[in-house]
Amino acid sequence: MSTLRSRLPAVTGHRLFWPLVVLVLLIAANTVYRPSFLSVELKNGHLYGSLIDILRLSAPLILVALGMSLVIATGGIDLSVGSVVAVSGAVACLYISKQPDQNSLGGVVTALALAFGVALLLGVWNGTLVAVIGIQPIIATLILMVAGRGLAQLVTQGQIITVNSDPYRTIGVGHLVGLPFAIIVALAVTLLVAVLTRRTALGMIIEAVGGNAEASRLAGVRARRIKLLVYVVSAACAGVAGFMMTANVSSADGNAAGLWVELDAILAVVIGGTSLAGGRFYLGGTIVGALLIQTLTTSVYAMSIDPQTALLFKAVVVIVVCLIQAPAFRARLRRRTAPPTPPTTPAEQQKEQVPA
């Protein structure tokens, strides 16, 4: 029992403990409300179920949040990922819609390559403004957040571009080896980012730049290149997420695609334990945060919560999670709930003053 009590603070103090607890509670609440929530079925070699749907719908947010984690680790922020999502999806759908055969695999691959290249250019634009010119990240990315949304509407000419392409639809709703293709893509990108940042010196360099850019520069680290790189990676992840979101509905809406996904991505990163001050990042925590947010969103719709209060409900849950996992808040709460120390008697005070 004493061993359990000594280990309990270390367990509850882990950055992922409370997000995982809230995630489990959300799953339990959904199961009580809808007993079939945990059921997973195999139909025609494909897995179906509410949990599978949550994983599939979480894939775009996971991708965007992974890129956001690296940006935040350098002490920056990227508010433009939603616009990059819209632009990449619009460019891909526009190219496919112009093809005589929209089911042509070559045409779809060309559209993806073209849209991905545009996303990389937008990442270079952000990185240049922040790393080379020296504009504050929140201002530099706010520029593209506004201009990028306008660019997406310019590509679509203010219309919703609809495509009828089976290869492109596979990105959003297709399956591979029984799992949704979007989950496979998110898993592959996660593993790639994890290998590059945790099995090489890249992750340590990113954290060094975020901890103290000037000190890392004096130590021989090219901080500007690292900052440029993370914004390009963030845009690349957002570009792939744009393919998923537009393929999921087989259409591109320059005004609505990826709207507010940057806020969900930032929340996922913060819930996962990464500080907005930079210097450290936790990919595992980011994924848990993204899953929590998507589970919360699914719960709101599944429980038929009023749309006017859905966002407020979501905000309250996120605030609670952030508070209970904050060390300063938990320490203050423990001080208030701890039993008061009994006052010492005059005899005890005199005994304490007597030298041994």
Side-chain angles (χ1 to χ4, degrees):
M1 183 64 68
S2 59
T3 304
L4 180 61
R5 288 181 178 179
S6 62
R7 291 182 178 179
L8 188 60
V11 174
T12 58
H14 194 277
R15 60 180 176 273
L16 293 184
F17 177 78
W18 291 110
L20 286 174
V21 168
V22 175
L23 181 59
V24 171
L25 290 177
L26 285 174
I27 294 176
N30 278 277
T31 305
V32 172
Y33 182 81
R34 187 158 46 104
S36 62
F37 181 80
L38 293 178
S39 63
V40 177
E41 299 178 355
L42 183 64
K43 296 181 180 179
N44 300 324
H46 301 155
L47 292 175
Y48 293 93
S50 298
L51 293 178
I52 301 299
D53 289 338
I54 288 176
L55 290 176
R56 179 177 62 85
L57 295 174
S58 298
L61 179 57
I62 289 175
L63 292 180
V64 176
L66 285 174
M68 187 71 73
S69 295
L70 301 182
V71 171
I72 290 177
T74 63
I77 200 75
D78 190 352
L79 300 179
S80 67
V81 287
S83 296
V84 176
V85 165
V87 172
S88 64
V91 171
C93 288
L94 177 64
Y95 186 88
I96 294 174
S97 66
K98 299 296 183 181
Q99 300 303 304
D101 181 13
Q102 295 189 14
N103 289 317
S104 171
L105 182 60
V108 172
V109 171
T110 303
L112 295 178
L114 180 62
F116 189 73
V118 173
L120 292 180
L121 289 176
L122 295 178
V124 171
W125 168 264
N126 279 337
T128 301
L129 292 182
V130 174
V132 179
I133 299 179
I135 300 177
Q136 288 291 329
I138 192 171
I139 301 300
T141 56
L142 183 62
I143 294 173
L144 186 57
M145 177 183 178
V146 177
R149 188 66 62 177
L151 178 60
Q153 295 189 42
L154 183 63
V155 171
T156 61
Q157 296 183 350
Q159 306 296 320
I160 298 178
I161 299 178
T162 303
V163 296
N164 186 20
S165 173
D166 291 336
Y168 190 70
R169 191 180 298 112
T170 301
I171 302 174
V173 296
H175 288 76
L176 182 65
V177 296
L179 289 173
F181 188 74
I183 297 178
I184 302 297
V185 173
L187 181 61
V189 174
T190 301
L191 291 176
L192 178 62
V193 174
V195 168
L196 291 178
T197 57
R198 294 310 184 193
R199 296 299 178 182
T200 69
L202 180 60
M204 183 181 63
I205 293 174
I206 290 175
E207 292 176 340
V209 171
N212 192 322
E214 182 63 20
S216 61
R217 185 188 67 81
L218 295 175
V221 176
R222 297 183 177 180
R224 289 185 176 181
R225 291 189 180 183
I226 296 299
K227 288 185 177 181
L228 178 63
L229 174 64
V230 296
Y231 282 97
V232 172
V233 172
S234 177
C237 291
V240 177
F243 303 152
M244 291 182 180
M245 292 183 181
T246 53
N248 190 40
V249 294
S250 296
S251 62
D253 185 351
N255 186 45
L259 191 63
W260 308 126
V261 70
E262 59 273 1
L263 301 184
D264 282 345
I266 294 172
L267 285 175
V269 173
V270 173
I271 289 174
T274 298
S275 171
L276 290 177
R280 294 286 290 174
F281 67 95
Y282 307 100
L283 298 180
T286 295
I287 295 173
V288 172
L291 291 174
L292 191 154
I293 290 176
Q294 183 57 53
T295 304
L296 178 59
T297 303
T298 302
S299 303
V300 166
Y301 290 120
M303 296 180 181
S304 302
I305 296 178
D306 189 84
Q308 283 75 21
T309 60
L311 293 177
L312 179 60
F313 175 78
K314 183 177 177 180
V316 169
V317 174
V318 170
I319 290 174
V320 170
V321 174
C322 292
L323 283 177
I324 61 179
Q325 76 174 62
F329 178 81
R330 292 202 306 270
R332 183 174 299 179
L333 189 63
R334 281 196 298 267
R335 287 197 299 268
R336 290 192 174 186
T337 57
T341 304
T344 57
T345 62
E348 291 176 342
Q349 294 179 358
Q350 184 176 7
K351 185 177 180 181
E352 291 177 356
Q353 294 176 358
V354 175

